[in-house]
Structure formats: C-alpha cells, structure tokens
Amino acid sequence: MPLLAQRPTRPAVTILIHNITLIDGNGGTPRPRADVLVRDGKIAALAAPTDSTPTTTIDGTGLFLLPGLTDAHVHLSGNTFPDNAATLKKVLQGGVTAVFDVAGDTRLTSDLARAALSGEIESPTIYYSALFAGPAFMTDPRIAASSIGYVPGEAPWTRAIDASTDIVRAVAEARGTGANAIKLYAALDGATVKRIGDEAKRQNIRLIAHAVTFPAKPSELIAAGVKYLAHAAYMVWEGMPPSTDFTKRAQGDFAGVPADGAVMTRVLQLMKDNDVALNPTLWILAEGPGKSDPSGLRTAWQNLLTRRAQAFGVTIAAGVDSLTTSADPLPMIHKEMELEVTGAGLTPLQAITSATRGAAHAIGVDATRGTVAVGKIADLLIVGADPSANIRNTRDIRYVIKDGKVVFTK
Ligand SMILES: [Zn+2]
C-alpha cells in the first residue's frame, strides 16, 4: 500500500467565506463581494458551492481576505522545543501561516516542522535551510550551539567549506537533513560559491545567501545560482573592495556607493534577469537590538534600494530575522510590512505581496501557497479593515485559517 494512503484523512470540512473583499497576494486591486470555498484543506473554488451546503459560513461583509503571511527569515534554534511551540502558536494566531528558518540546528527545525505537519503543535508550516560557510566562520558561538555533538563545521547542516571539501557529499548530506535550501553565510569566495552552486543545481536544492559572503559579492552569488539574497543593506558591498572581514557586513560605505548609482542598478538588473529575490530585513537593521543606525545612512540606503528593487520587478520577500519581540504582541512581520511602506515607500499592496506571494516564491513553494487561488493550500487571514488603504490594518485580525481549519477567531 502506498505510504500516502495511510495518512490520517482530514475531516471533510468546507468553509464558505461569503461576500468578502479579496486581496489575493498577486498585488492587484482588491476584489469586492468575493466568495471563497475551502474544502479538504485547499481552496476549492472562488465561488459558493452548487453541490452541497458548507459546514461553516463566514460572513465576510466588511472584512478583507488575504493569504496567510509568510516570514521568509526566521531562526528557531537557540530556543527549546516547548518554547518554540509556544511562540509558533502565538505567531500562527497572529496571521503567519508559514516560516522559513534560514540556518540553525536542523534536528530541532525538522522536529518542529514534522510536529507542525502532524498537528502535534499549532504552528505555521516550517521550511528550513542548512548552512555552508568558510572555516573562518566556524568559531562563531552560534555554530557550536547549533552543532552539539559534532565538531563545529562537520555537522551536515552546518558545514565548513574550503577547497578540499567534497562538495558532492556536502550537498547530499545537507539535502539529507530535509532542508529546503542551503544558505551561504560567510567566508566564502566567488570560486567556492560557484562550485557549491553548480552542485546544488545538479542535486536540485535551492541556494540562498547573505547578500555578501565575504569576499564573494552579490553579483558573484547571483552568478552561482543563488535565488534569495538576505539583508538589503549588505548589497552595498557590490561597490566596495572585497573584504574577508565578515564582522563588518553591516558597516558598508553607504555614502560612497549610492543605492541609485550605476553599480547598484547593474546588480538589481541581474537580480531581475535571474529571478533572485531580495529579503530586505528593514526593521532589524534600522531598529533591531544592537543594530542601531545613529547616522540614519544605512536605513535610508536600504529603504531606497528596496524601493528600486520593487520598481525593477525584483521579487521582494518579507522576512524579519526576529519572529517576535517582547515589545510587540503580534509577529514582527506586521512591523516589517509597515516599514516597507513608511520607510521604503512601497504601496500597502506591494508590502502584502512581499509577505505572501513574494516570500513563497523566494522559498520556492509558490506552487502551493502564497496566493488565494484554486488548488492552493487554504492558509488564509481575514482582517477587519482595509490593509490596502493602511498597512497597519493587517493587525486587525478576525480569523486565521490554517490548512482549511479556523485556528483563531476574534
Ligand atoms: Zn538571519
């Protein structure tokens, strides 16, 4: 018997969301008076059923429906399984239905991901990545913490790469952790990055990266096949002399390499042409703990670069690098979307797209999620006021639907 046939069958719950304004995640004008039918965990139709009566009807009059939000930059490691489970439940109730963990201990993330899929914990769907970096980075205390039981740099999910590494085996072992992607972090040059990229392509695993891996520049990462560059501010290193001091990554020459200059124009065009997403992380590098920007130069620079990337047609993938903070009752993705609007100058609809379709595309899961469309997973958020008029209205959460089930109502 095929394994899939032994999975517990979902109850045949159907939910009709009736007469709602639909923001489908593609960025177009909101559609009033929409009907959305959810059945067996998926979006079955953008219409009321003709063949049966829905189990539940949600009166959407005056409400707004959007795809569940995706935070495309989280780190779950460093916290215990129970602590993560509590945070993830809260985050789900705050409208986040998928997260992408971009490096840590995949033994923890895979355990959480499995528990989320099986329903043992209430959680967004969890995708996660393995990390490759040069040996010089392996002394970072976070590496030791996420590699307990291994010599730092030798765990399959946190691998030191140098000229002597068996890349075929390293990529295969990273894939074996169940990771959706390999993240290139630091202390990697252009040639090494290309070698990893060629093998990752052959073994069909997605490659993502910090926007600079010291010394490799953004353009070298793009040439290697990376599909997602994290931290807009790090893009400045495209126009700076190569450095191997990865601790300086957030201290670029923001005055000397203008975000609207020829160098950045060229790299944005490369991103567009090669379908490379930008994960700006505006909040953490403008206001995050220990990341203050007294001159405001970095903040202005990353805002302008993000606005230009949007104008070029580069996919913007919202992701915070801090799933929650004690200062905000809701997951920080709401704050990140707000800064995309108030700081970077995106429209509210563009900001919503960055946390729905854009984030799903950057992770490589947009075939099944990220938009409200027939056949997609029914991960949905219903809010009480128009977020296309004011992005802060994503905070006015009335319902969260995960895999076709209502998991939060207010
Ligand atoms: Zn991060």
Side-chain angles (χ1 to χ4, degrees):
M1 181 182 284
L3 273 176
L4 276 175
Q6 296 174 21
R7 287 180 65 187
T9 49
R10 292 179 189 282
V13 175
T14 58
I15 302 172
L16 173 65
I17 305 162
H18 174 60
N19 192 36
I20 200 158
T21 299
L22 173 61
I23 295 171
D24 67 6
N26 286 309
T29 313
R31 186 149 67 81
R33 293 177 298 280
D35 284 348
V36 175
L37 183 68
V38 170
R39 182 183 283 148
D40 299 334
K42 297 217 168 115
I43 298 165
L46 297 181
T50 51
D51 54 340
S52 63
T53 313
T55 314
T56 306
T57 298
I58 294 173
D59 180 5
T61 307
L63 305 180
F64 297 79
L65 175 69
L66 46 157
L69 305 175
T70 294
D71 186 330
H73 193 139
V74 311
H75 297 280
L76 301 173
S77 298
N79 295 301
T80 63
F81 187 102
D83 286 350
N84 270 303
T87 301
L88 288 163
K89 179 177 179 180
K90 190 179 135 184
V91 161
L92 174 64
Q93 295 183 340
V96 174
T97 53
V99 299
F100 185 34
D101 186 286
V102 289
D105 189 334
T106 60
R107 292 170 298 187
L108 175 73
T109 41
S110 67
D111 201 8
L112 288 162
R114 182 201 55 77
L117 282 174
S118 70
E120 285 173 46
I121 61 172
E122 290 181 64
S123 167
T125 301
I126 299 167
Y127 302 98
Y128 58 94
S129 51
L131 177 146
F132 284 3
F137 182 63
M138 295 299 154
T139 54
D140 188 292
R142 293 172 295 174
I143 295 291
S146 60
S147 314
I148 293 165
Y150 286 78
V151 172
E154 292 184 10
W157 56 90
T158 316
R159 178 73 72 180
I161 307 286
D162 65 17
S164 69
T165 304
D166 178 345
I167 296 282
V168 175
R169 184 167 169 173
V171 170
E173 289 188 359
R175 274 182 115 252
T177 67
N180 300 82
I182 294 169
K183 182 182 188 185
L184 308 177
Y185 196 91
L188 294 167
D189 63 24
T192 306
V193 156
K194 184 74 172 80
R195 213 153 56 90
I196 297 167
D198 289 347
E199 187 56 27
K201 186 173 183 191
R202 199 180 70 81
Q203 294 194 35
N204 193 27
I205 184 165
R206 198 166 192 82
L207 208 56
I208 68 169
H210 266 174
V212 58
T213 59
F214 291 87
K217 297 183 175 204
S219 56
E220 290 175 291
L221 293 161
I222 295 165
V226 164
K227 289 295 168 196
Y228 161 128
L229 291 175
H231 309 299
Y234 299 1
M235 298 288 294
V236 72
W237 287 90
E238 182 68 22
M240 295 174 59
S243 169
T244 54
D245 184 359
F246 50 81
T247 63
K248 290 215 178 85
R249 57 191 179 269
Q251 271 96 51
D253 183 6
F254 298 108
V257 184
D260 55 359
V263 170
M264 297 319 303
T265 298
R266 188 178 144 270
V267 76
L268 287 174
Q269 189 65 53
L270 282 175
M271 291 180 80
K272 165 68 178 161
D273 293 347
N274 291 280
D275 189 20
V276 180
L278 177 66
N279 165 232
T281 69
L282 298 177
W283 172 78
I284 197 136
L285 283 164
E287 302 173 22
K291 306 262 176 40
S292 69
D293 177 31
S295 73
L297 273 179
R298 183 173 67 208
T299 299
W301 197 96
Q302 66 180 8
N303 281 338
L304 178 55
L305 190 82
T306 300
R307 177 157 72 248
R308 294 196 72 218
Q310 173 73 48
F312 262 84
V314 172
T315 296
I316 308 293
V320 183
D321 208 359
S322 178
L323 190 49
T324 58
T325 65
S326 55
D328 196 321
L330 286 178
M332 289 300 287
I333 195 76
H334 295 276
K335 179 70 177 175
E336 184 72 14
M337 287 191 291
E338 186 182 334
L339 282 185
E340 286 181 359
V341 174
T342 60
L346 271 55
T347 68
L349 280 171
Q350 287 169 342
I352 290 167
T353 296
S354 79
T356 54
R357 186 186 69 180
H361 184 69
I363 304 170
V365 298
D366 47 341
T368 54
R369 62 172 66 249
T371 54
V372 180
V374 173
K376 295 260 171 121
I377 293 167
D379 283 0
L380 303 166
L381 172 60
I382 295 176
V383 297
D386 186 359
S388 74
N390 183 341
I391 192 64
R392 286 185 61 87
N393 289 337
T394 60
R395 292 171 172 273
D396 186 4
I397 296 170
R398 302 303 174 88
Y399 296 85
V400 178
I401 295 170
K402 177 84 187 91
D403 293 319
K405 282 180 295 192
V406 174
V407 294
F408 177 78
T409 55
K410 185 189 163 196

